[in-house]
């Protein structure tokens, strides 16, 4: 996957989309009619218990923990996350709990991590990303029953949470349920194709919905998702183009760098052009670090003047 699940959940709960790494945008809810849910899925909860507003202390501790986590300093991140989880039951508190789970897993302290997963589920039982986090945790603990339970609950709450499907399918295979795994992946294919089709039809899909689709594709390790994000660089709405640029910069490929370069040059909106140029710089540096080669130019060289323009 392109990003850790807990970052998806953290962004969804905290409501902050420009938080320092490792934050990732969650699915956006727009005013368009919701897609029909799977008939076999149990009805979703009416809503989570009212989460309290984040406190300044919680947000500060969460920021410090995220910075340490980004540097893979799990032992250093853990106290900050535990501190952020204290106080009112806010979105930041739940985000911190899930981040602390990752730190505890890395430190081989699974029993403590289990307690925090269960606490997060009690605080936010109707947030699909929290069930996704729980499913990933229990899958890592080879607890197939609980992993499947929480993955399926996440999809019952949000059937378009596409990263759940491949993980659920893998767990079902390990649990010796191949037909259920095949059905899960068939649902994934159908939903991915439907979302890609919506992204390709900007006149028929509301702007907010296309932005939501971009955010979902950003969470997938799928060539079709990358192709969809590259196509979204030509979306008529600048916010969608910028979201696609950010997603491509998070997991750059050579094709993404070329597409970002072309998009940054062609962009007419001033703000979007600056954002795409920054995304391009970040993508080419990350790709160069991965390949061990000098980074390519951030932007292509200026077009030389036509013969008729010389001497003017």
């Amino acid at each position: 996957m392109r990003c850790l699940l807990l970052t998806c959940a953290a962004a969804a709960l905290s409501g902050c989309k420009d938080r320092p790494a490792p934050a990732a945008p969650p699915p956006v809810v727009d005013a368009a009619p919701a897609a029909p849910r799977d008939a076999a899925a149990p009805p979703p909860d009416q809503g989570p218990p009212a989460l309290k507003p984040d406190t300044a202390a919680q947000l500060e501790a969460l920021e410090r923990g995220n910075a340490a986590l980004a540097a893979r300093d799990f032992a250093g991140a853990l106290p900050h996350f535990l501190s952020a989880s204290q106080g009112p039951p806010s979105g930041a508190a739940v985000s911190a709990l899930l981040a602390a789970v990752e730190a505890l897993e890395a430190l081989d302290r699974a029993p403590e991590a289990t307690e925090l997963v269960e606490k997060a589920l009690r605080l936010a039982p109707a947030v699909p990303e929290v069930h996704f986090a729980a499913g990933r945790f229990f899958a890592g603990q080879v607890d197939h029953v609980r992993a499947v339970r929480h993955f399926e609950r996440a999809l019952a709450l949000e059937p378009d949470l596409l990263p759940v499907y491949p993980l659920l399918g893998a767990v079902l295979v390990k649990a010796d349920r191949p037909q259920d795994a095949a059905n899960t992946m068939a649902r994934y294919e159908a939903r991915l194709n439907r979302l890609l089709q919506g992204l390709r039809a900007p006149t028929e899909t509301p702007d907010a919905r296309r932005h939501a689709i971009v955010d979902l594709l950003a969470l997938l390790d799928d060539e079709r998702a990358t192709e969809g994000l590259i196509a979204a660089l030509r979306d008529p709405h600048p916010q969608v183009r910028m979201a696609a640029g950010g997603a491509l910069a998070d997991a750059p490929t050579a094709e993404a760098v070329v597409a970002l370069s072309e998009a940054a040059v062609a962009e007419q909106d001033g703000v979007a052009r600056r954002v795409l140029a920054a995304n391009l710089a970040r993508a080419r540096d990350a790709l160069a670090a991965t390949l061990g080669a000098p980074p390519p130019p951030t932007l292509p060289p200026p077009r030389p003047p036509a013969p008729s323009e010389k001497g003017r």
Side-chain angles (χ1 to χ4, degrees), residues 109-137:
R109 293 161 61 178
E112 295 169 77
T114 301
E115 292 180 6
L116 296 188
V117 169
E118 293 172 347
K119 184 176 180 180
L121 288 166
R122 289 194 299 270
L123 289 179
V127 175
E129 291 85 0
V130 174
H131 287 278
F132 187 5
R136 288 192 66 188
F137 172 75

Side-chain angles (χ1 to χ4, degrees), residues 144 148 151-152 155 162 164-190:
H144 297 153
V148 168
F151 282 146
E152 289 182 340
L155 292 178
L162 295 183
V164 177
Y165 290 94
L167 297 182
L168 173 57
V171 173
L172 289 169
V173 168
K174 293 178 181 178
D176 197 23
R177 295 169 57 183
Q179 187 56 55
D180 290 336
N183 293 340
T184 295
M185 295 312 297
R187 292 166 59 200
Y188 168 76
E189 292 292 331

Side-chain angles (χ1 to χ4, degrees), residues 2 17 26 29 32 37 70 74-75 97 100 117 119 125 129 135 145 154 161 172 175 180 189 193 250 257 301 303:
R2 294 175 183 271
K17 297 183 70 174
V29 179
R37 295 185 181 272
F74 300 107
L97 287 172
V117 169
K119 184 176 180 180
E129 291 85 0
V145 172
L161 193 55
L172 289 169
D180 290 336
E189 292 292 331
N193 290 333
D250 286 338
V257 170
R303 179 180 63 85

Side-chain angles (χ1 to χ4, degrees), residues 204-288:
E204 301 173 12
T205 310
D207 295 341
R209 179 59 177 164
R210 297 199 311 281
H211 194 295
I213 293 171
V214 166
D215 288 342
L216 284 167
L217 296 180
L219 303 176
L220 295 179
D221 185 10
D222 189 308
E223 290 184 1
R224 292 166 295 177
T226 300
E227 293 170 0
L229 292 171
I230 289 175
L233 292 173
R234 300 186 295 274
D235 190 273
H237 198 288
Q239 291 291 339
V240 177
R241 298 196 296 271
M242 288 187 285
L248 290 169
D250 286 338
T253 63
E255 294 79 8
V257 170
V258 171
L260 280 167
S261 178
E262 295 173 349
V265 171
E267 182 59 59
Q268 299 298 309
D269 182 273
V271 173
R273 191 178 196 280
R274 289 193 294 273
V275 170
L276 290 175
N279 290 333
L280 171 60
R282 182 158 59 92
R284 59 115 195 202
D285 289 345
L287 185 62

